[in-house]
Amino acid sequence: MSADVKQQQYNAEQIQVLEGLEPVRKRPGMYIGSTGPRGLHHLVYEVVDNSVDEALAGFCKNINVTIQSDNSIVVEDDGRGMPVDLHPKLKIPAVEVIHTVLHAGGKFGGGGYKVSGGLHGVGASVVNALSEIMEVEIKRNGKIYKQTYSRGKTQTPLIEVGESRKTGSKTMFKPDGEIFEELEYSYDTLEHRLREMAFLNKGIKITLKDEREGQKRTEIFHYEGGIKEFVKHQNKNKEVIHPDIIYFEVKKDDEHEVEIAMQYTDRYNELILSYANNINTSEGGTHMIGFKSALTRVFNDYARKNKFIKENDEGLSGEDVREGLTAIISVKLTSPQFEGQTKTKLGNSEIRGFVETTTNEYLTAFLEENPSQARIILDKCLRAARAREAAR
Ligand code: 0RA
């Protein structure tokens, strides 16, 4: 990199620091998509994502989300507590940097899979910018610290307010009525996303509590079986055709992980949900392509080997082997590339081969080890193929 390009980058960073969060308040849509209900709910996901990151890093088990009676939100976790030490350059506490500097602390940097990069992944500072009040309480170093912000600006310095032997972070925010068209949270919307997060991150316990008058309730989302239970949940009102959910999880290196769960139902349609770093990749991408190729390959190989179809027969199509299938594909990677119209298409090319090889291996093993279930699934695929032939 040339010296003047470096200089430019340096200046750009400086400007961002100096500008603070005004740009976020000027163009909220650029940062959270909209100022309607979607954007409003997005604020909660941004804050929860930071706690989920702490859980994925292995430091936190419980996340509590509360809708308070005034439609303010509290997110509390039992992680290490946000860092409070002074930022070497800015000379203010790290937690204050996280909340008042755009992108800074957004994803802290360094190691682990982060719930980010998807639609927005903009961090706590954007939530602050769009909140009339935001308060953090941190338990760390045997102490309890507190700081408040408003509309992107620090309101009170970080102070010690007590002592505690526990660690964790608690964030309260109230979305700004000057920004959002509507301030009322939908329990169902939050429930749907938080349950999905719990399925995608097995073992973490997310509690959702509604304290609003007339709709008080609490639900706990905690799935030791992870996406295996997600498939069961998706199939709960459907007739499944074989007893076992096919499931596998493989970590390749410190940078790539794939987890797949699948089960066939008696339906004609397929339901394949794919995720990258907990973000629903509704436009699919390389993980989806790898999975689909492996599926077609494995069932055709198995069908030929076991004489379900003749050696030089045309074989089963992709649609034939997906008919009635419910599947969840979840990949985690350190540098996800999101592409497509809505940035919900995974682009990382290395993921395709990884998912394909893994699915080939585990699905083949499942069919070999479970011949009676293999037979049921194959029968359904063959029926789909015959119906397709007949229609032609
Ligand atoms: C210690 C170090 C780092 C982050 C956290 C604790 C932490 C952040 C949040 C946000 C919500 N809950 C939290 N709990 C802990 C920085 C880690 C790094 O630099 O990778």
Side-chain angles (χ1 to χ4, degrees):
M1 204 187 293
S2 76
D4 57 325
V5 169
K6 252 188 190 151
Q7 185 63 46
Q8 267 173 23
Q9 281 198 341
Y10 179 73
N11 287 339
E13 277 167 25
Q14 289 304 97
I15 289 162
Q16 213 160 49
V17 171
L18 294 172
E19 272 187 349
L21 293 161
E22 243 352 275
V24 181
R25 291 184 59 81
K26 279 216 188 83
R27 293 199 173 74
M30 293 258 295
Y31 297 87
I32 55 157
S34 85
T35 52
R38 281 182 74 98
L40 183 75
H41 289 82
H42 195 83
L43 299 183
V44 182
Y45 309 150
E46 284 296 335
V47 175
V48 170
D49 282 355
N50 292 328
S51 296
V52 171
D53 283 345
E54 183 69 357
L56 293 184
F59 298 107
C60 148
K61 278 258 173 293
N62 299 288
I63 302 171
N64 297 332
V65 180
T66 305
I67 312 168
Q68 301 193 115
S69 49
D70 62 349
N71 274 291
S72 62
I73 299 286
V74 176
V75 178
E76 189 171 10
D77 70 50
D78 58 354
R80 291 168 290 174
M82 295 177 210
V84 294
D85 44 304
L86 293 188
H87 188 279
K89 285 209 186 79
L90 303 173
K91 313 279 189 224
I92 57 172
V95 59
E96 186 168 348
V97 179
I98 292 169
H99 288 86
T100 57
V101 180
L102 192 55
H103 293 137
K107 291 301 150 192
F108 307 103
Y113 311 118
K114 307 283 169 157
V115 185
S116 73
L119 279 176
H120 307 289
V122 285
S125 62
V126 167
V127 179
N128 175 24
L130 305 177
S131 296
E132 72 170 65
I133 179 87
M134 189 167 193
E135 266 178 44
V136 294
E137 196 183 284
I138 295 155
K139 296 196 186 85
R140 196 180 162 102
N141 310 330
K143 300 194 174 80
I144 306 174
Y145 303 88
K146 204 167 171 165
Q147 187 166 39
T148 62
Y149 318 93
S150 174
R151 301 189 163 115
K153 300 210 159 70
T154 301
Q155 207 162 48
T156 59
L158 185 72
I159 51 164
E160 276 180 44
V161 293
E163 296 184 356
S164 175
R165 270 173 290 186
K166 296 187 193 158
T167 64
S169 309
K170 182 158 118 182
T171 301
M172 186 283 294
F173 67 90
K174 189 169 180 358
D176 192 346
E178 293 174 5
I179 302 280
F180 293 96
E181 295 145 33
E182 243 219 80
L183 297 170
E184 178 119 341
Y185 274 105
S186 153
Y187 183 91
D188 292 350
T189 302
L190 294 180
E191 175 195 342
H192 184 266
R193 176 57 179 158
L194 296 177
R195 184 193 303 283
E196 181 177 63
M197 278 296 218
F199 280 133
L200 293 166
N201 302 285
K202 65 178 161 223
I204 73 169
K205 185 169 143 191
I206 305 180
T207 304
L208 175 59
K209 185 173 182 203
D210 196 338
E211 289 182 342
R212 291 171 299 185
E213 215 45 63
Q215 40 189 334
K216 293 190 178 160
R217 61 166 154 168
T218 302
E219 259 180 301
I220 297 171
F221 312 115
H222 182 203
Y223 306 105
E224 286 300 344
I227 59 169
K228 202 168 171 171
E229 292 190 58
F230 200 173
V231 167
K232 195 196 232 175
H233 175 81
Q234 293 293 343
N235 284 347
K236 69 174 187 271
N237 296 320
K238 298 175 188 168
E239 209 60 60
V240 298
I241 61 168
H242 60 102
D244 295 338
I245 295 172
I246 304 166
Y247 173 84
F248 48 91
E249 178 189 29
V250 176
K251 288 186 200 230
K252 188 166 72 165
D253 37 45
D254 281 345
E255 304 194 358
H256 298 92
E257 202 178 312
V258 60
E259 194 182 0
I260 292 179
M262 53 188 277
Q263 188 180 35
Y264 284 86
T265 71
D266 68 351
R267 304 282 174 108
Y268 292 103
N269 52 334
E270 59 182 74
L271 177 67
I272 310 178
L273 300 177
S274 68
Y275 297 84
N277 290 14
N278 295 320
I279 291 151
N280 181 218
T281 38
S282 52
E283 295 175 282
T286 50
H287 51 344
M288 183 70 100
I289 293 170
F291 174 73
K292 286 182 176 175
S293 335
L295 202 65
T296 310
R297 158 72 71 89
V298 170
F299 280 112
N300 275 292
D301 286 358
Y302 186 87
R304 288 211 168 82
K305 191 171 166 219
N306 295 283
K307 314 276 188 264
F308 284 100
I309 54 177
K310 294 197 195 79
E311 206 54 50
N312 45 13
D313 204 318
E314 193 188 304
L316 303 162
S317 73
E319 275 112 61
D320 299 337
V321 303
R322 294 196 300 271
E323 193 181 285
L325 176 65
T326 301
I328 310 289
I329 304 166
S330 170
V331 299
K332 294 196 174 120
L333 60 174
T334 44
S335 313
Q337 299 296 317
F338 292 97
E339 302 170 349
Q341 286 271 296
T342 56
K343 293 267 178 277
T344 58
K345 182 175 180 179
L346 185 66
N348 300 62
S349 56
E350 75 277 14
I351 281 288
R352 184 191 162 148
F354 174 47
V355 174
E356 189 167 342
T357 310
T358 309
T359 306
N360 264 324
E361 187 180 327
Y362 283 82
L363 188 55
T364 301
F366 177 88
L367 298 178
E368 304 281 349
E369 289 160 19
N370 300 277
S372 67
Q373 295 189 69
R375 160 135 218 153
I376 297 169
I377 300 169
L378 244 306
D379 275 344
K380 174 159 172 86
C381 297
L382 290 163
R383 251 179 287 125
R386 269 183 243 116
R388 178 169 54 84
E389 293 287 306
R392 237 183 17 183

